[in-house]
Amino acid sequence: MEKSNGQTQFSFEILPPLKGQHIQSIFDNIDPLMEFNPPFIDVTYHREEYVYKEVENGLLKKQVVKKRPGTVGICAAIQNKYSVDAIPHILCGGFTKEDTENFLVDLDFLDIDNVMALRGDAVKSETYFKPEKEGHAYAGELVAQISDLNRGRYLDDELQNSSSTNFCIGVAAYPEKHMEAPSLESDIQFLKKKIDNGANYIVTQMFFDNKKYFDFVNKCQCAGITVPIIPGLKPIATKKQLNLIPHRFHVDLPEELIIEVVKCKDNKQVRQVGVEWCIAQSKELQKAGIPVLHYYSMGKSDNIKTIASEVF
């Protein structure tokens, strides 16, 4: 961002492939987007899930499964293949503080020095997020631990000649409020705490109304938040998402967009509407001088490439 010289840059987020799939599936979706010179690529992290399987005596056995492993390996492969910064998501959920430190040490050894620090969602069997017994309950605590490593402070305070890391720390924000926050104002105060604990930049949840982003940025600035706030964008692609996105992500859809999607005869038309809407969003944000536009690809690059071709 410091090297952008006032030009809006393009970045995107990818999902690790499902267990059993090859990393080439990742490269196949990244390759078409490299012509837009992304300075960084985010790689999501997916914590463990639990399934219960019936055993011979009729009882249920709890089994841990991980459907999308490989975030660290994918980041290392991206940096090696494309020579761009890869940014792994690191979660509170599923990690003890010791696990977190070891995860960060591995990243440091691989010269991966940017991270997105997130609390993470509750597992499907839980209504609310529950931290590990020796883990972090909030992303702000995770940010503080990463900041401590940047100062050479490890969990074992008896370590001799410990080296400092150099992580640039990103955090998430919600222009329409995190679903668990009692108000947007209180949510911004929690965000401010993450910045005070050492976060360097913010990436927002997806939104479809730029006014909500601009209003959110103004409120953050009034609260004393001065770090860059990168807008997260996602083109709508199916009619099903009219219900899925508000339910899963607690994001409102503008009435004008809803009307246009409802008119569509099939998802091919929906996809075109989504692309055109996202292009318009992107151009308005670009005109406002936003340093980076960040796109949620969800593992597919064709519609993102169409948008980027019109904007960058």
Side-chain angles (χ1 to χ4, degrees):
M1 287 186 281
E2 290 174 351
K3 297 176 182 177
S4 65
N5 296 319
Q7 297 294 314
T8 301
Q9 299 182 89
F10 164 83
S11 69
F12 59 99
E13 176 183 291
I14 61 172
L15 304 175
L18 291 169
K19 183 184 288 187
Q21 295 182 1
H22 197 270
I23 194 171
Q24 187 60 44
S25 64
I26 289 287
F27 296 153
D28 289 343
N29 282 298
I30 292 176
D31 287 343
L33 301 177
M34 291 310 296
E35 67 178 274
F36 307 108
N37 299 313
F40 63 89
I41 299 170
D42 269 30
V43 183
T44 63
Y45 188 96
H46 292 259
R47 64 178 295 186
E48 78 287 345
E49 295 180 7
Y50 301 102
V51 295
Y52 290 88
K53 292 190 174 182
E54 187 172 345
V55 293
E56 291 180 0
N57 58 8
L59 297 176
L60 295 177
K61 180 181 179 182
K62 185 178 181 181
Q63 181 174 326
V64 178
V65 295
K66 196 170 184 181
K67 295 183 177 180
R68 293 184 184 270
T71 296
V72 175
I74 291 168
C75 286
I78 287 172
Q79 293 199 167
N80 180 64
K81 182 176 175 66
Y82 299 104
S83 297
V84 300
D85 282 324
I87 304 182
H89 290 192
I90 179 168
L91 309 180
C92 297
F95 283 78
T96 65
K97 294 173 187 176
E98 189 73 32
D99 292 335
T100 297
E101 183 170 281
N102 292 337
F103 188 92
L104 292 164
V105 167
D106 284 345
L107 294 178
D108 186 49
F109 288 166
L110 290 166
D111 199 27
I112 297 171
D113 53 12
N114 300 278
V115 293
M116 272 291 290
L118 307 168
R119 189 198 70 176
D121 298 325
V123 295
K124 291 178 181 178
S125 59
E126 298 172 352
T127 304
Y128 297 104
F129 174 83
K130 292 181 181 179
E132 295 298 305
K133 186 176 181 181
E134 298 295 330
H136 296 300
Y138 302 102
E141 298 171 352
L142 175 57
V143 170
Q145 182 177 4
I146 302 169
S147 296
D148 280 344
L149 279 185
N150 283 347
R151 301 185 188 98
R153 300 175 186 167
Y154 290 72
L155 294 175
D156 182 356
D157 54 16
E158 295 182 1
L159 285 177
Q160 299 294 316
N161 302 316
S162 57
S163 61
S164 300
T165 56
N166 187 34
F167 290 110
C168 177
I169 308 167
V171 292
Y174 302 83
E176 299 176 57
K177 185 182 83 64
H178 190 280
M179 62 180 177
E180 295 176 18
S183 68
L184 180 58
E185 287 68 24
S186 65
D187 201 20
I188 289 174
Q189 289 305 311
F190 284 116
L191 177 61
K192 176 68 162 54
K193 186 172 183 180
K194 290 190 278 189
I195 305 305
D196 292 342
N197 285 354
N200 305 104
Y201 69 97
I202 296 164
V203 181
T204 76
Q205 172 64 280
M206 71 180 77
F207 57 90
F208 296 87
D209 182 349
N210 283 355
K211 185 178 184 301
K212 293 189 176 183
Y213 168 78
F214 291 126
D215 289 347
F216 177 73
V217 171
N218 287 334
K219 288 181 178 180
C220 287
Q221 291 172 343
C222 290
I225 295 173
T226 59
V227 302
I229 302 177
I230 298 173
L233 301 170
K234 172 180 165 41
I236 196 166
T238 66
K239 279 196 174 185
K240 185 178 179 181
Q241 289 176 343
L242 286 182
N243 303 111
L244 178 64
I245 288 174
H247 173 73
R248 185 172 179 184
F249 298 100
H250 299 266
V251 170
D252 288 337
L253 297 173
E255 191 63 30
E256 183 182 350
L257 175 59
I258 295 170
I259 291 170
E260 290 303 312
V261 170
V262 169
K263 286 181 185 176
C264 293
K265 295 179 180 179
D266 53 37
N267 283 335
K268 184 177 180 181
Q269 291 184 355
V270 174
R271 200 171 186 82
Q272 184 59 33
V273 167
V275 164
E276 291 173 0
W277 188 274
C278 195
I279 288 171
Q281 272 193 278
S282 300
K283 287 184 174 179
E284 184 180 22
L285 293 164
Q286 187 182 51
K287 187 176 179 180
I290 305 303
V292 182
L293 302 184
H294 189 65
Y295 296 87
Y296 297 114
S297 74
M298 307 302 288
K300 303 292 183 181
S301 60
D302 53 342
N303 55 353
I304 304 298
K305 181 176 181 178
T306 302
I307 295 163
S309 297
E310 291 289 327
V311 178
F312 298 94

